[in-house]
Amino acid sequence: MNILVTEHIHKSFGDFKALDDVSITIPENTIFGLLGPNGAGKTTLIRIITQILMADQGKVMFHGRPLELEDVHRIGYLPEERGLYKKMKVGEQLLYLAQLKGMSKAEATKKIKAWMEKFDIISWWGKNVEDLSKGMAQKVQFIATVLHEPSLIILDEPFSGFDPVNANLIRDEILEMKKKGITIIFSTHRMESVEELCDHIALINKSKKILEGPKKDIKETYKSNTFNVLHHGKVNGLPADFDTLSTEEVEGAIHSTIQIKSALGPNDLLKALISQVEVHEFVEKIPSMNEIFIQKVQEGGHE
Amino acid sequence: MNKISLIIAREYITRVRKKSFLVMTFVGPLLFALLIIVPTWLATRDGDEKVIEVVDESGLFKTVLTDTDEIKYSFMNEDPDALKQSLEGSEYYGFLYIPNIDIDNPQGIQFYSTSKPSLSVIGDLEWGIRQKIENIKLEKSGLDKQVLDNLKANVDIATISITDQGEQESSSIAATGIGYISSLLIYFFIFFFGAQIMRGIIEEKTSRIIEVIISSVKPFQLMMGKIIGVGAVGLTQFLLWTLLTFTITTVLSSVFGFEPQAANSMVNGQPGMAEVQAAAGDQNEFAKIMGAIGSINIPQVLFFFLIYFLGGYLLYGSLFAAVGSAVDSEVDSQQFMLPVTLPLILSIVSLGAVLNEPDGSLAFWMSMIPLTSPVVMMMRIPFGVPIWQLLLSVTLLAGGFMFTVWLAARIYRVGILMHGTKVNYKVLAKWFMMKN
């Protein structure tokens, strides 16, 4: 079951085309990475999903039916540009934001207290937001995003500006929410967190979606049949099926990167190597999301 | 609860709870009360009693220079030079020397004092002496003073306006006062609370809360919630001011022993003038003005005051909101503020001209154009405005604010999401045209 599907979304601002025929499918209960360089159109797509903007063309399906105004109550959104009312007290502010999401006052109060206790910040209830540190304010913002128990949470660059301790806390929360069956859209250009958290990704570049699918499959597709080998002794020529990309001697051992050019498999390469050298390590080189990202974006740049 | 009422409640409560609101609420009426009380008190209090020594060698003025509350005259038959010498250190205010003067050429009258004498004292002295000399001259010329007195005429035109209710004595002074006060109040209210709307929106932009909020509510709801919430704060403040000013004035008046009646005229929106008149002791004139206020249709004035108060506030408030959404800081707002505030300032400046001719074409057109009508029409209403003009003006005002709210909302929805863009009128027009 897909929780959210966008179908052929177009959006222009004047002459500038922000989104050009973008269709993405977000399966339920996944962590979906929405990737792309700055200015690619990620935030515009998110604003269309959160109904801040209307698409010029195309439609958004939520839980299998067209997105409605009331659905904002089932979506939690932590924008990249986020803040709080400075002159308001923490508790009142969370209460206000929760009520705007359609929660009753009593229910919201109970949930806010539970979250604040969980984050060990219950003593801040009566504090003014302007007296909070940046890290403290971020915890409050995160609570505001998830308080109304949305079925879809959208986090736009959630770790930017977080200190490592808070970033860890939020990361653990994201994983826990996934366990509860919540879907998370995670927009970022930091590949290390994508590598760690995301199940699915979509890559947007220059207003177009250029890649989408489960992370595992994408990596599979972008594998180049290349192997990292650590061995002792020099390789003196391999069959033409194998292409040595690099060799480097480190502390008496040699690291070689070898690509298989033909239909042969890793065992064939291993056989060829064993006859010549002593193999200590043999690992398939799997491309990182970062490499795929850079490769795809650069391809786009050469069009 | 409805989302827009949540927004209104937040805007209202956070503002009313601010210290500055409390301070304004209590300091405002104190200032108003002082403005009313102090001039009145100054005008009515007994000045220090001044005693003036007089040496009158002509012997003509003993009957003219009679003691008043403020000035006592002490006629002496001593040597002027000796008195002059002893003036310093004595408790006399001054020393008036009148030599044996020639009636046709009164020269040589001198007044000595240790400090600079007040203008009013000199004026009193000159007036008394002149009166006497003129009377003597009259007698000498053979004209009877009686005859001359009979020649004088005292004209006081009673202005009576013919209305549906029949003839009523009116007073243009009372109408002017009511008009001015209500016009200025509307002007002040729009400016003060319009700026608060703008500041609130800029705060939401700079604190980056805006995107969080509009992922839950429509930008239009947020804008209207803010405009209505701030307006409610304004109305609350206004009500408290009226109540408190009335209370303080009454208390202070009774402490200082004024006619409580004078303070009561506050309720009719006519504080300063009636009070001064009453205090000046001219009870007859005061009663006349009270009567004249009675002749003005106070419920009508109050009703339209509220209409123009709210209509004008909504009209300008939404423009202020649009400006706030377009800029990143209050400093940047200056370039857009001028065109917004210009019609307001223009209407205040033109009040004098409107007053000269409350039914003239300038007054008519300015009270029809929605941008100027709230201020200008309030000036005209106490003088009586035909009902069709009132209806037309209010209809145009309603259309006007619907238009500005619509215009502002289109700029607002785009502007609030923009940070760090250099905004000019071309950009605003582009935002306005943008599809949602």
Side-chain angles (χ1 to χ4, degrees):
Chain A
M1 178 70 183
N2 298 321
I3 188 167
L4 190 111
V5 179
T6 74
E7 294 172 7
H8 309 288
I9 300 282
H10 291 260
K11 178 75 188 174
S12 302
F13 299 109
D15 299 332
F16 175 69
K17 214 162 180 30
L19 291 175
D20 186 3
D21 197 28
V22 174
S23 303
I24 57 169
T25 302
I26 300 172
E28 200 158 7
N29 198 16
T30 53
I31 300 180
F32 189 94
L34 188 60
L35 318 179
N38 287 325
K42 298 188 300 278
T43 300
T44 304
L45 183 62
I46 290 174
R47 284 179 177 172
I48 286 170
I49 295 169
T50 51
Q51 301 185 69
I52 290 171
L53 296 172
M54 301 280 281
D56 296 344
Q57 273 179 55
K59 57 180 174 178
V60 181
M61 305 293 285
F62 186 60
H63 286 292
R65 49 165 180 75
L67 190 68
E68 290 166 7
L69 200 58
E70 283 300 300
D71 290 330
V72 295
H73 295 167
R74 307 179 64 184
I75 297 177
Y77 175 38
L78 184 68
E80 185 177 6
E81 298 280 6
R82 47 188 174 249
L84 296 162
Y85 285 111
K86 289 199 179 66
K87 301 278 178 198
M88 260 179 122
K89 298 204 184 331
V90 172
E92 284 173 1
Q93 179 134 215
L94 284 171
L95 203 54
Y96 175 62
L97 293 172
Q99 283 179 289
L100 285 185
K101 286 284 186 191
M103 288 176 93
S104 75
K105 196 171 175 175
E107 192 195 356
T109 312
K110 215 171 75 193
K111 294 251 165 71
I112 294 166
K113 287 209 168 126
W115 271 103
M116 286 179 85
E117 260 156 26
K118 185 171 185 184
F119 281 178
D120 205 17
I121 57 172
I122 190 75
S123 59
W124 301 354
W125 184 280
K127 258 194 189 173
N128 265 336
V129 168
E130 57 187 346
D131 300 330
L132 301 185
S133 73
K134 202 174 170 200
M136 293 157 104
Q138 282 166 337
K139 283 186 184 171
V140 176
Q141 285 156 356
F142 184 79
I143 294 177
T145 310
V146 297
L147 194 63
H148 56 291
E149 299 187 341
S151 57
L152 176 66
I153 292 174
I154 303 172
L155 307 170
D156 198 351
E157 293 293 354
F159 298 123
S160 77
F162 268 71
D163 62 60
V165 178
N166 274 339
N168 244 343
L169 185 81
I170 299 303
R171 202 204 54 187
D172 292 346
E173 279 310 319
I174 291 173
L175 290 172
E176 195 170 315
M177 282 187 297
K178 194 199 159 189
K179 272 188 209 147
K180 284 186 201 155
I182 295 168
T183 310
I184 295 134
I185 300 180
F186 185 20
S187 163
T188 186
H189 49 244
R190 286 206 195 177
M191 290 306 141
E192 65 273 38
S193 41
V194 176
E195 205 79 65
E196 184 188 356
L197 294 170
C198 293
D199 313 311
H200 274 65
I201 63 130
L203 179 56
I204 294 179
N205 187 36
K206 295 187 170 169
S207 324
K208 288 192 172 75
K209 183 192 79 181
I210 51 175
L211 190 65
E212 185 186 4
K215 186 174 73 182
K216 199 170 81 250
D217 296 359
I218 287 176
K219 289 200 165 196
E220 202 67 36
T221 319
Y222 281 83
K223 275 195 315 203
S224 52
N225 240 358
T226 307
F227 296 84
N228 289 326
V229 190
L230 181 71
H231 54 91
H232 283 246
K234 278 210 164 77
V235 180
N236 290 314
L238 286 170
D241 299 322
F242 309 115
D243 184 7
T244 307
L245 299 173
S246 67
T247 40
E248 192 187 356
E249 195 170 332
V250 180
E251 292 167 4
I254 298 172
H255 290 268
S256 296
T257 309
I258 302 164
Q259 189 173 23
I260 304 172
K261 302 294 259 182
S262 65
L264 295 175
N267 280 358
D268 301 311
L269 173 60
L270 206 50
K271 270 181 212 153
L273 285 169
I274 286 169
S275 62
Q276 296 183 30
V277 297
E278 186 183 291
V279 175
H280 285 253
E281 269 179 43
F282 186 84
V283 184
E284 180 166 19
K285 191 182 168 197
I286 295 176
S288 69
M289 279 315 297
N290 200 33
E291 285 165 316
I292 297 171
F293 180 91
I294 290 170
Q295 187 194 333
K296 284 303 286 185
V297 168
Q298 278 172 350
E299 272 171 25
H302 293 308
E303 267 172 17
Chain B
M1 215 204 286
N2 183 355
K3 283 183 185 177
I4 197 158
S5 48
L6 278 170
I7 297 167
I8 294 171
R10 194 201 80 86
E11 295 292 339
Y12 184 81
I13 291 165
T14 51
R15 281 188 165 74
V16 169
R17 268 200 317 217
K18 270 188 194 162
K19 282 193 198 82
S20 57
F21 178 84
L22 279 176
V23 171
M24 278 292 277
T25 302
F26 289 103
V27 171
L30 265 176
L31 281 176
F32 288 148
L34 283 179
L35 274 177
I36 296 165
I37 297 287
V38 168
T40 324
W41 179 65
L42 285 177
T44 53
R45 91 199 163 108
D46 295 333
D48 297 334
E49 192 177 84
K50 301 181 179 78
V51 184
I52 294 174
E53 295 173 292
V54 185
V55 170
D56 180 11
E57 290 176 354
S58 67
L60 292 169
F61 300 101
K62 181 131 191 167
T63 51
V64 189
L65 299 174
T66 49
D67 293 355
T68 66
D69 283 348
E70 283 167 39
I71 307 176
K72 302 268 187 277
Y73 298 97
S74 159
F75 286 87
M76 309 268 184
N77 278 319
E78 287 173 50
D79 177 37
D81 285 329
L83 283 173
K84 223 191 296 175
Q85 296 302 325
S86 64
L87 189 59
E88 200 159 348
S90 75
E91 62 234 44
Y92 293 115
Y93 180 74
F95 161 50
L96 177 69
Y97 172 63
I98 306 169
N100 203 350
I101 49 167
D102 173 10
I103 288 298
D104 293 321
N105 186 19
Q107 291 292 329
I109 301 175
Q110 286 167 315
F111 182 78
Y112 301 93
S113 67
T114 48
S115 57
K116 206 166 161 36
S118 82
L119 282 176
S120 66
V121 170
I122 299 299
D124 282 356
L125 293 174
E126 281 177 347
W127 185 82
I129 294 167
R130 196 178 61 229
Q131 285 291 105
K132 183 65 188 172
I133 294 174
E134 279 174 8
N135 282 344
I136 294 170
K137 280 181 165 177
L138 272 175
E139 277 167 30
K140 274 172 106 182
S141 68
L143 266 172
D144 191 355
K145 189 172 180 299
Q146 198 75 45
V147 176
L148 202 73
D149 283 348
N150 283 342
L151 285 174
K152 278 189 185 157
N154 197 357
V155 180
D156 180 12
I157 296 177
T159 47
I160 293 155
S161 51
I162 298 167
T163 65
D164 301 343
Q165 288 86 42
E167 292 184 13
Q168 274 188 333
E169 195 167 351
S170 71
S171 161
S172 51
I173 294 178
T176 307
I178 292 178
Y180 254 120
I181 287 166
S182 31
S183 292
L184 284 172
L185 273 176
I186 287 181
Y187 173 79
F188 167 78
F189 185 84
I190 290 174
F191 244 109
F192 188 78
F193 291 98
Q196 288 219 1
I197 298 176
M198 192 181 79
R199 231 170 278 143
I201 291 170
I202 293 174
E203 191 212 323
E204 280 171 350
K205 271 187 85 175
T206 51
S207 72
R208 304 286 199 255
I209 181 88
I210 191 83
E211 200 169 343
V212 177
I213 302 284
I214 58 166
S215 68
S216 310
V217 304
K218 296 271 116 195
F220 182 76
Q221 291 175 313
L222 184 59
M223 186 183 92
M224 282 320 284
K226 188 174 284 293
I227 293 176
I228 295 169
V230 172
V233 174
L235 275 177
T236 310
Q237 186 138 61
F238 179 70
L239 248 150
L240 287 173
W241 276 354
T242 315
L243 275 172
L244 281 172
T245 308
F246 175 62
T247 316
I248 293 173
T249 315
T250 314
V251 170
L252 285 185
S253 297
S254 59
V255 168
F256 285 90
F258 291 146
E259 299 257 320
Q261 203 183 2
N264 277 338
S265 66
M266 260 300 297
V267 197
N268 296 328
Q270 247 279 16
M273 206 164 312
E275 182 114 6
V276 170
Q277 290 284 357
D282 198 341
Q283 285 302 324
N284 190 35
E285 193 65 20
F286 172 66
K288 241 191 219 171
I289 286 190
M290 288 311 286
I293 288 171
S295 81
I296 292 168
N297 191 343
I298 294 295
Q300 190 202 33
V301 170
L302 278 179
F303 176 74
F304 281 102
F305 178 76
L306 266 181
I307 298 263
Y308 282 104
F309 195 72
L310 292 177
Y313 169 76
L314 281 174
L315 182 105
Y316 278 100
S318 49
L319 291 178
F320 276 101
V323 173
S325 73
V327 298
D328 285 335
S329 73
E330 225 170 302
V331 183
D332 297 337
S333 70
Q334 296 303 328
Q335 53 163 332
F336 300 114
M337 286 299 285
L338 185 69
V340 172
T341 52
L342 202 63
L344 261 184
I345 295 166
L346 201 72
S347 32
I348 281 290
V349 169
S350 68
L351 280 187
V354 170
L355 201 54
N356 271 339
E357 221 182 333
D359 293 316
S361 61
L362 176 84
F364 173 78
W365 286 110
M366 287 195 79
S367 58
M368 288 302 137
I369 297 166
L371 286 169
T372 53
S373 68
V375 171
V376 173
M377 191 54 113
M378 278 325 292
M379 189 81 235
R380 292 185 60 201
I381 285 177
F383 292 94
V385 176
I387 196 77
W388 69 268
Q389 287 191 16
L390 280 173
L391 287 178
L392 182 60
S393 165
V394 169
T395 313
L396 287 173
L397 181 63
F401 79 67
M402 282 188 239
F403 174 76
T404 57
V405 166
W406 175 73
L407 176 104
R410 286 192 71 90
I411 292 174
Y412 179 87
R413 85 212 142 109
V414 184
I416 46 173
L417 290 172
M418 298 287 176
H419 294 288
T421 14
K422 194 99 187 90
V423 182
N424 52 35
Y425 289 102
K426 224 175 114 186
V427 174
L428 285 189
K430 215 166 95 187
W431 291 356
F432 175 74
M433 297 307 291
M434 213 172 254
K435 281 175 286 174
N436 196 356

